[in-house]
Amino acid sequence: MVFDLVRSHYSYVASRILIVDDSARFRALAAELLAIRGFEVLEEAADGEQALAAVARSRPDGILLDVNLPGQDGFAVAASLAAACAGARIVLTSADTDHVPAEVMKTCAAIAFVAKQDLAVADLATLFSRPPMSAGGG
């Protein structure tokens, strides 16, 4: 009985994650952090173009997306990724916490922002969790 409750809880957690950041060092650190927390890192991407190709291949459950990317910024990339992979939960991150206007967060398709320095203590399971499907299958 308890096992079934635990299993049903974790069935709503996005376990397959795409990491998008132009720093290979940060991608490696984030991948390690996510793996420790029980997530599977499907792919890593250095920019928006690579991220779009990755979602087409892998269809991740969640995306950890840097705000400061070469080319299009993370806000624009988030909108493109949401259109390409509607079910993915997008969490923005950045070391520059002054660069995240609240009004942009409302319209960019990301569900949350977590400063890079706070990722180790953030409740990633909750951030990447999907709401349960309604009784009508929706």
Side-chain angles (χ1 to χ4, degrees):
M1 169 99 169
V2 171
F3 180 73
D4 290 335
L5 291 173
V6 171
R7 185 183 329 152
S8 70
H9 168 74
Y10 285 107
S11 70
Y12 298 113
V13 174
S15 59
R16 302 170 27 225
I17 308 296
L18 166 66
I19 300 171
V20 184
D21 195 288
D22 59 327
S23 166
R25 182 170 184 254
F26 176 79
R27 291 192 311 267
L29 290 171
E32 185 176 341
L33 172 68
L34 289 164
I36 289 169
R37 301 257 184 108
F39 294 95
E40 174 189 356
V41 176
L42 286 178
E43 291 196 51
E44 298 176 12
D47 60 28
E49 189 174 310
Q50 289 179 10
L52 284 167
V55 298
R57 282 189 302 273
S58 302
R59 308 301 292 175
D61 299 314
I63 301 168
L64 182 63
L65 176 61
D66 185 25
V67 170
N68 298 310
L69 294 173
Q72 287 188 316
D73 67 22
F75 303 113
V77 172
S80 297
L81 291 172
C85 190
R89 308 267 300 166
I90 301 171
V91 175
L92 294 175
T93 190
S94 180
D96 180 8
T97 58
D98 294 334
H99 187 66
V100 186
E103 62 276 359
V104 174
M105 278 298 297
K106 293 177 186 174
T107 61
C108 77
I111 55 105
F113 172 84
V114 178
K116 285 184 177 181
Q117 56 269 29
D118 295 335
L119 280 173
V121 296
D123 185 355
L124 298 175
T126 297
L127 290 175
F128 284 121
S129 68
R130 291 174 282 174
M133 293 177 66
S134 68

